[in-house]
Amino acid sequence: MTVERTKTFVLFGATGDLAKRMLFPSLYNLSCEGSLPDGFRVIGSGRTAMETAEFHDKVIEALKPTDLYDEAKARKFADAIEYYALDTDKPEEFAGLKTMIGDAEKDGISYYLSTPPSVFAPVVAGLEAAGLTGPHTRIAMEKPIGHDLESSREVNAAVGHAFPEDQVFRVDHYLGKETVQNLIVMRFGNALFEPVWNSRHIEHVQITVAETVGLEGRVSYYDGVGALADMVQNHMLQLLALVAMEPPARYDATSVRDEKVKVLRALRPLDSSTAASNSVRGQYGSGAIDGQPVKSYAEELGKPSNTETFVAVKAFVDNWRWQGVPFYLRTGKRMPAKVSEIAIQFRQVPHSIFTPKRGSLLPNTMVVGLQPDESIRIAMMVKQPGLDRGGIELDEVSLDVSLAAEFDKSRRRVAYERLLLDLIEGDNTLFVRRDEIEAAWMWIDSIHRAWEASNLPARTYTSGTWGPGAAQGMIERDGASWRD
Ligand SMILES: NC(=O)C1=CN([C@@H]2O[C@H](COP(=O)(O)OP(=O)(O)OC[C@H]3O[C@@H](n4cnc5c(N)ncnc54)[C@H](OP(=O)(O)O)[C@@H]3O)[C@@H](O)[C@H]2O)C=CC1
Ligand SMILES: O=C1O[C@H](COP(=O)(O)O)[C@@H](O)[C@H](O)[C@H]1O
């Protein structure tokens, strides 16, 4: 029988950016709340050789911005972390890691790969060769898993050689966000929405993930990858799958992921005849964000590039429920605001009985805000108060659920806290299964191929705007518009 809660946590990539910004702060928050198992042990591993004390100081620095920061608690947490320098180019170094780990496997080990993806397979091979894999171990991996279907299969096969699928936890941090989980509860915890959740009542769906940041020192990773692979392949397709999936029979890893993968497999591929009408690529030029001038992507990169920092795609899910309903996906860097939301645009009522004196009858919209506000808002029609002589006065008002206001939480939880705890506790419902990743890549590959075949350019957009004009054109041709 496998252990329920793993007591040892080994973080590869412990000297990296993600560990500093997200993983150590999240582990610290969990430890402050008493959520970690008794005797929980953290081993950090990076390639750089350094004294353990120096590593502890780095961890303390990483914890300072957290809401729960307390000098004594942070010191205690950091000082308990062991550090082991290991370079996967020197597989013999896994022997030292094994010595450090000792017989901890019997109480369960979670490995977390927060390294460049090229290091995933060598780490897994090193762990396997050192006898550090087994039924009480789990492995979590950051994105991206490969850069196309073929390479993702290679990574999955290498990992699968040492870890059966139920011990593999592919991270998509959007699934750790509160409102993303709330989407499941909203859809399947209320009787209200299911009857209208289909092409008969929904005209289109918009999913926007807009960022104000630019390259942020991730030049070597981002250039050549672009927004489609960086954001759509994972986060945005996971959101789409949650919106579009059929009701799972249970809230468990198999049922939920079985339904999501059906949606991903039903995505209609793009080809060279639809690439230009159903997708737009963009790259930010110079401009201003929050009143501050910012450089263009090419200036930040130091050379011209055809990589897209913005993408808009009109997607279709070819099944009975969603036939003919466009899912407009849009993501970009250097946009006017950091905002992620899903908007469900309902159809107009079949027949209007009103001849309004003022205002017009607008179709309902439901907006699920993921960030910065965690909210659910439904725009609906009401009558304006008054005697309404000469015709009724219509107005649109909003039914608002602000999760922050509703649940007076003293702090906003980092998405990684939830995911790390689920990994430690062995619940992979909020992690991505191998077939999901591969189905997503299959669709993304069709777009990359279509772009290549049709030579689709990355159109320049001014930083601080909502992307190239062509993205407006794409949706406006269908009689809709983006919610800016
Ligand atoms: N940073 C972010 O915001 C996000 C990152 N990710 C993903 O998370 C992962 C980590 O990203 P990030 O922290 O930014 O990357 P960094 O480049 O900042 O860190 C990489 C880490 O991997 C270690 N490493 C690199 N090569 C080797 C090797 N051959 N053997 C052993 N260790 C090695 C580095 O050690 P050392 O520094 O000591 O050389 C470092 O600890 C990537 O897969 C990335 O795509 C996903 C979403 C967001
Ligand atoms: O995975 C990634 O996500 C971030 C955006 O995450 P968010 O939680 O801040 O919305 C993005 O900046 C990065 O390019 C991408 O790799």
Side-chain angles (χ1 to χ4, degrees):
M1 202 173 99
T2 56
V3 290
E4 284 183 357
R5 305 181 93 204
T6 52
K7 277 201 173 177
T8 299
F9 185 88
V10 181
L11 175 58
F12 292 96
T15 47
D17 173 69
L18 190 71
K20 178 177 153 204
R21 288 191 305 107
M22 296 289 165
L23 303 176
F24 283 124
S26 299
L27 282 172
Y28 170 73
N29 288 344
L30 290 171
S31 102
C32 288
E33 288 181 349
S35 301
L36 298 173
D38 290 340
F40 191 70
R41 183 179 170 205
V42 181
I43 298 175
S45 179
R47 195 171 37 177
T48 311
M50 70 175 90
E51 293 297 327
T52 306
E54 186 188 343
F55 179 71
H56 290 167
D57 290 342
K58 284 186 185 296
V59 174
I60 298 272
E61 284 308 308
L63 302 183
K64 280 187 180 161
T66 60
D67 292 340
L68 300 181
Y69 181 75
D70 167 275
E71 205 177 325
K73 280 188 192 161
R75 177 50 72 187
K76 190 168 171 222
F77 171 84
D79 283 357
I81 301 177
E82 296 154 80
Y83 182 73
Y84 183 76
L86 180 152
D87 183 342
T88 52
D89 288 343
K90 300 173 189 153
E92 66 279 8
E93 292 182 347
F94 279 88
L97 182 64
K98 183 170 173 70
T99 307
M100 184 178 264
I101 288 178
D103 67 351
E105 202 238 318
K106 66 177 183 346
D107 291 325
I109 306 175
S110 289
Y111 299 109
Y112 196 110
L113 307 188
S114 177
T115 61
S118 56
V119 176
F120 293 174
V123 170
V124 172
L127 291 174
E128 196 176 17
L132 286 169
T133 57
H136 304 316
T137 59
R138 296 174 188 141
I139 192 156
M141 281 181 288
E142 269 299 330
K143 60 166 268 275
I145 311 279
H147 54 268
D148 58 11
L149 177 60
E150 196 184 329
S151 55
S152 74
R153 280 186 173 147
E154 281 165 16
V155 176
N156 284 329
V159 174
H161 191 261
F163 294 89
E165 182 62 28
D166 63 344
Q167 290 169 230
V168 180
F169 291 65
R170 294 178 193 82
V171 177
D172 184 313
H173 76 274
Y174 268 57
L175 295 180
K177 292 183 192 275
E178 283 288 351
T179 328
V180 176
Q181 295 159 52
N182 234 317
L183 194 58
I184 304 178
V185 177
M186 186 198 79
R187 282 199 59 200
F188 306 120
N190 298 290
L192 215 55
F193 304 117
E194 175 55 22
V196 292
W197 211 256
N198 54 50
S199 60
R200 199 165 156 228
H201 299 283
I202 293 179
E203 190 201 69
H204 74 259
V205 176
Q206 286 183 28
I207 304 181
T208 295
V209 177
E211 299 185 89
T212 53
V213 294
L215 267 185
E216 299 295 292
R218 294 178 76 207
V219 180
S220 57
Y221 157 71
Y222 195 87
D223 195 53
V225 172
L228 184 68
D230 183 46
M231 295 295 285
V232 180
Q233 189 275 339
N234 35 73
H235 310 319
M236 298 193 76
L237 286 187
Q238 284 295 319
L239 297 178
L240 183 153
L242 291 172
V243 170
M245 72 182 182
E246 295 300 314
R250 277 173 295 281
Y251 184 66
D252 63 28
T254 303
S255 311
V256 171
R257 299 188 300 179
D258 280 352
E259 296 308 334
K260 279 194 293 164
V261 77
K262 286 183 205 161
V263 173
L264 297 170
R265 287 188 184 134
L267 285 166
R268 185 186 304 168
L270 262 68
D271 59 28
S272 53
S273 68
T274 49
S277 53
N278 290 9
S279 69
V280 174
R281 304 176 68 226
Q283 186 186 94
Y284 59 81
S286 57
I289 301 282
D290 290 335
Q292 297 302 313
V294 294
K295 288 183 179 167
S296 69
Y297 179 82
E299 282 168 328
E300 285 181 353
L301 191 64
K303 58 175 185 188
S305 162
N306 187 33
T307 298
E308 80 282 354
T309 60
F310 171 96
V311 64
V313 186
K314 179 159 83 163
F316 288 95
V317 178
D318 279 337
N319 62 17
W320 277 32
R321 186 187 284 264
W322 296 112
Q323 203 39 236
V325 178
F327 285 71
Y328 298 104
L329 312 179
R330 167 178 73 154
T331 184
K333 294 198 184 282
R334 290 281 190 236
M335 310 213 73
K338 181 167 175 67
V339 54
S340 302
E341 65 172 38
I342 300 167
I344 313 292
Q345 182 62 62
F346 289 92
R347 293 190 189 281
Q348 185 58 282
V349 294
H351 164 69
S352 174
I353 60 168
F354 305 108
T355 41
K357 187 171 88 186
R358 228 175 299 148
S360 49
L361 195 62
L362 301 172
N364 302 124
T365 312
M366 173 191 277
V367 181
V368 180
L370 309 180
Q371 54 192 25
D373 300 325
E374 297 179 333
S375 58
I376 300 168
R377 295 191 301 276
I378 301 177
M380 58 177 289
M381 296 313 294
V382 292
K383 172 191 160 310
Q384 282 194 22
L387 294 177
D388 293 336
R389 289 214 174 84
I392 209 159
E393 292 193 15
L394 297 174
D395 210 347
E396 189 182 57
V397 294
S398 183
L399 278 182
D400 271 3
V401 180
S402 157
L403 296 178
E406 214 50 52
F407 303 99
D408 182 26
K409 294 283 182 208
S410 51
R411 74 180 180 92
R412 193 176 170 151
R413 205 172 270 285
V414 180
Y416 278 95
E417 291 176 34
R418 170 69 202 241
L419 298 177
L420 287 170
L421 195 59
D422 284 357
L423 164 68
I424 291 161
E425 297 185 339
D427 179 353
N428 41 21
T429 310
L430 297 177
F431 293 82
V432 186
R433 208 166 56 188
R434 177 177 181 162
D435 51 1
E436 291 181 80
I437 293 271
E438 294 182 359
W441 273 124
M442 204 174 283
W443 188 67
I444 295 292
D445 282 0
S446 80
I447 302 178
H448 276 142
R449 275 195 305 271
W451 284 353
E452 210 178 310
S454 52
N455 241 331
L456 203 73
R459 299 162 191 268
T460 305
Y461 59 96
T462 305
S463 283
T465 67
W466 290 100
Q472 316 294 335
M474 183 184 89
I475 193 168
E476 281 168 10
R477 278 196 298 276
D478 295 344
S481 54
W482 294 107
R483 292 172 37 79
D484 288 346

